[in-house]
Amino acid sequence: MNKAFRKLMLPITLSCIALFMASDVFAAGLLAVTVQGSGATQSYSLSLQVLLLMTAVTFLPAILLMMTSFTRIIIVLALLRQALGAGTAPPNQVLVGLSLFLTLFIMGPVVEKINSTAVQPYLAGTIDGNAAFDKGIAPLRQFMLDQVREADIATFVRIAGEPAYNTPNDIPLRILVPAFATSELKSAFQIGFMMFIPFVIIDLVVASVLMSMGMMMLSPMIISLPFKIMLFVLVDGWTLVVSTLASSFYR
């Protein structure tokens, strides 16, 4: 046990020592590129702030999935394609692209508020990084609070063993984000269930007609698919689905 513990702690200790010895380098900047010319050498350094920003960019996909409207939109569109029974039409790239731009449309007011209250003051130097983060997360927190269900928040508060919070603003992100994601999944499947009903009715009618005609060897999906596509086009289905998704976030 002691040998295993020493083997585990040795690289951690060495890393901490190296980090402590390099603190002066972090304060001045990290050496990124050295260019040697004719009789001259030029070094370009990378500030720690830029390095942290580049590291934070890797969390953007998780933020897009778990803290915006993207999850509800992509699930509803995927369920719609399955309800139509059209196979891979529209393809995944089209669904993801449409979901992304719908997310940008829905999150537009939130992004504009973040830019005006946090990003621009930080770039102007009127507020520091901590204040910019607090001001920037506030609109996103309010968006999630408007969509999340109280039951989902209560569930994660109970799992975490936390006491009841007095106001919604007291809820930490570690509880709000999973509660919001769970609530979005529930909303997406509720919308998908409502979309499935007319297409299931068409499948049942076609299957009953084929059964009564004795054409049991013919797949009902082959006959019902044109009728489902025709129904979807006649009711202007794409516009109806997109408008319903957009309005569901601003009810």
Side-chain angles (χ1 to χ4, degrees), residues 12 42 51 53 73 94 127 144 150 157 175 179 184 200 204 228 232 241:
I12 299 177
Q42 181 66 39
L51 181 62
L53 179 61
I73 296 172
V94 176
I127 59 176
M144 291 189 289
E150 295 182 3
V157 170
I175 292 179
E184 286 295 284
V200 170
L204 290 176
K228 290 191 288 187
F232 192 69
V241 170

Short mmCIF file of all heavy atoms in Angstrom, two decimals, residues 12 42 51 53 73 94 127 144 150 157 175 179 184 200 204 228 232 241:
data_model
loop_
_atom_site.label_atom_id
_atom_site.label_comp_id
_atom_site.label_asym_id
_atom_site.label_seq_id
_atom_site.Cartn_x
_atom_site.Cartn_y
_atom_site.Cartn_z
N ILE A 12 3.02 13.57 -8.88
CA ILE A 12 2.26 14.74 -8.45
C ILE A 12 3.17 15.73 -7.74
O ILE A 12 3.12 16.94 -7.97
CB ILE A 12 1.09 14.32 -7.54
CG1 ILE A 12 0.13 13.41 -8.30
CG2 ILE A 12 0.35 15.53 -6.99
CD1 ILE A 12 -1.01 12.88 -7.46
N GLN A 42 14.36 36.26 -32.15
CA GLN A 42 13.14 36.88 -31.63
C GLN A 42 12.29 35.81 -30.97
O GLN A 42 12.01 34.76 -31.59
CB GLN A 42 12.35 37.55 -32.74
CG GLN A 42 11.08 38.23 -32.27
CD GLN A 42 11.35 39.41 -31.36
OE1 GLN A 42 12.29 40.17 -31.60
NE2 GLN A 42 10.56 39.55 -30.32
N LEU A 51 -3.63 31.31 -22.55
CA LEU A 51 -3.58 29.85 -22.43
C LEU A 51 -4.84 29.33 -21.73
O LEU A 51 -5.43 28.33 -22.15
CB LEU A 51 -2.33 29.43 -21.66
CG LEU A 51 -2.13 27.91 -21.46
CD1 LEU A 51 -1.99 27.22 -22.81
CD2 LEU A 51 -0.92 27.65 -20.60
N LEU A 53 -7.71 30.83 -21.66
CA LEU A 53 -8.83 31.04 -22.57
C LEU A 53 -8.91 29.93 -23.61
O LEU A 53 -9.99 29.43 -23.93
CB LEU A 53 -8.70 32.41 -23.25
CG LEU A 53 -9.80 32.78 -24.25
CD1 LEU A 53 -11.15 32.83 -23.56
CD2 LEU A 53 -9.50 34.11 -24.91
N ILE A 73 -33.89 20.96 -29.14
CA ILE A 73 -34.13 21.09 -30.58
C ILE A 73 -33.65 19.85 -31.32
O ILE A 73 -34.38 19.30 -32.15
CB ILE A 73 -33.43 22.36 -31.11
CG1 ILE A 73 -34.04 23.61 -30.49
CG2 ILE A 73 -33.52 22.44 -32.63
CD1 ILE A 73 -33.29 24.88 -30.79
N VAL A 94 -27.65 17.97 -41.65
CA VAL A 94 -28.70 18.98 -41.81
C VAL A 94 -29.41 19.23 -40.48
O VAL A 94 -29.67 20.38 -40.10
CB VAL A 94 -29.71 18.55 -42.89
CG1 VAL A 94 -30.85 19.55 -42.98
CG2 VAL A 94 -29.02 18.44 -44.23
N ILE A 127 -14.06 46.30 -15.73
CA ILE A 127 -14.28 45.26 -14.73
C ILE A 127 -13.21 44.19 -14.89
O ILE A 127 -12.60 44.05 -15.97
CB ILE A 127 -15.69 44.63 -14.85
CG1 ILE A 127 -15.89 44.02 -16.25
CG2 ILE A 127 -16.77 45.66 -14.55
CD1 ILE A 127 -17.22 43.30 -16.40
N MET A 144 -31.80 29.39 -17.91
CA MET A 144 -32.01 28.03 -17.42
C MET A 144 -33.08 27.98 -16.35
O MET A 144 -33.88 27.05 -16.30
CB MET A 144 -30.68 27.46 -16.90
CG MET A 144 -29.66 27.19 -17.99
SD MET A 144 -28.20 26.29 -17.40
CE MET A 144 -27.42 27.57 -16.41
N GLU A 150 -39.21 22.86 -11.22
CA GLU A 150 -38.88 22.87 -9.80
C GLU A 150 -38.66 21.46 -9.27
O GLU A 150 -37.83 21.24 -8.38
CB GLU A 150 -39.99 23.56 -9.00
CG GLU A 150 -40.15 25.04 -9.31
CD GLU A 150 -41.22 25.68 -8.46
OE1 GLU A 150 -41.80 24.96 -7.60
OE2 GLU A 150 -41.49 26.88 -8.64
N VAL A 157 -31.17 18.68 -5.57
CA VAL A 157 -30.86 19.20 -4.24
C VAL A 157 -30.91 18.08 -3.21
O VAL A 157 -30.06 17.99 -2.31
CB VAL A 157 -31.84 20.34 -3.88
CG1 VAL A 157 -31.70 20.72 -2.41
CG2 VAL A 157 -31.58 21.56 -4.74
N ILE A 175 -25.87 22.22 -9.49
CA ILE A 175 -27.21 21.66 -9.35
C ILE A 175 -28.12 22.14 -10.47
O ILE A 175 -28.94 21.38 -11.00
CB ILE A 175 -27.80 22.03 -7.97
CG1 ILE A 175 -27.03 21.31 -6.86
CG2 ILE A 175 -29.29 21.68 -7.90
CD1 ILE A 175 -27.52 21.64 -5.47
N ALA A 179 -30.06 19.74 -13.57
CA ALA A 179 -31.52 19.85 -13.49
C ALA A 179 -32.09 20.42 -14.78
O ALA A 179 -33.13 19.97 -15.28
CB ALA A 179 -31.92 20.72 -12.30
N GLU A 184 -34.87 19.60 -19.95
CA GLU A 184 -34.90 19.72 -21.40
C GLU A 184 -35.18 18.38 -22.07
O GLU A 184 -35.90 18.32 -23.07
CB GLU A 184 -33.56 20.29 -21.89
CG GLU A 184 -33.36 21.75 -21.61
CD GLU A 184 -34.36 22.61 -22.36
OE1 GLU A 184 -34.21 22.81 -23.57
OE2 GLU A 184 -35.32 23.07 -21.72
N VAL A 200 -48.51 7.88 -36.31
CA VAL A 200 -48.91 6.54 -35.87
C VAL A 200 -50.32 6.21 -36.35
O VAL A 200 -50.61 5.06 -36.76
CB VAL A 200 -48.80 6.43 -34.34
CG1 VAL A 200 -49.43 5.13 -33.84
CG2 VAL A 200 -47.35 6.50 -33.90
N LEU A 204 -51.45 3.03 -38.61
CA LEU A 204 -52.51 2.08 -38.21
C LEU A 204 -53.59 1.96 -39.29
O LEU A 204 -54.06 0.85 -39.58
CB LEU A 204 -53.15 2.54 -36.89
CG LEU A 204 -52.27 2.42 -35.64
CD1 LEU A 204 -53.00 3.00 -34.44
CD2 LEU A 204 -51.89 0.97 -35.39
N LYS A 228 -47.57 10.12 -45.16
CA LYS A 228 -47.03 10.91 -44.06
C LYS A 228 -46.26 12.12 -44.58
O LYS A 228 -46.38 13.22 -44.01
CB LYS A 228 -46.13 10.03 -43.18
CG LYS A 228 -46.92 9.00 -42.38
CD LYS A 228 -46.06 8.32 -41.34
CE LYS A 228 -45.05 7.37 -41.95
NZ LYS A 228 -44.33 6.59 -40.92
N PHE A 232 -47.32 15.99 -43.95
CA PHE A 232 -46.36 16.90 -43.34
C PHE A 232 -46.14 18.13 -44.21
O PHE A 232 -45.99 19.25 -43.70
CB PHE A 232 -45.04 16.16 -43.11
CG PHE A 232 -44.06 16.89 -42.25
CD1 PHE A 232 -44.31 17.06 -40.89
CD2 PHE A 232 -42.89 17.41 -42.77
CE1 PHE A 232 -43.42 17.75 -40.09
CE2 PHE A 232 -42.00 18.09 -41.97
CZ PHE A 232 -42.26 18.26 -40.62
N VAL A 241 -43.06 23.07 -36.83
CA VAL A 241 -42.18 22.50 -35.79
C VAL A 241 -41.18 23.53 -35.30
O VAL A 241 -40.96 23.69 -34.09
CB VAL A 241 -41.47 21.25 -36.34
CG1 VAL A 241 -40.38 20.79 -35.38
CG2 VAL A 241 -42.45 20.13 -36.58
#
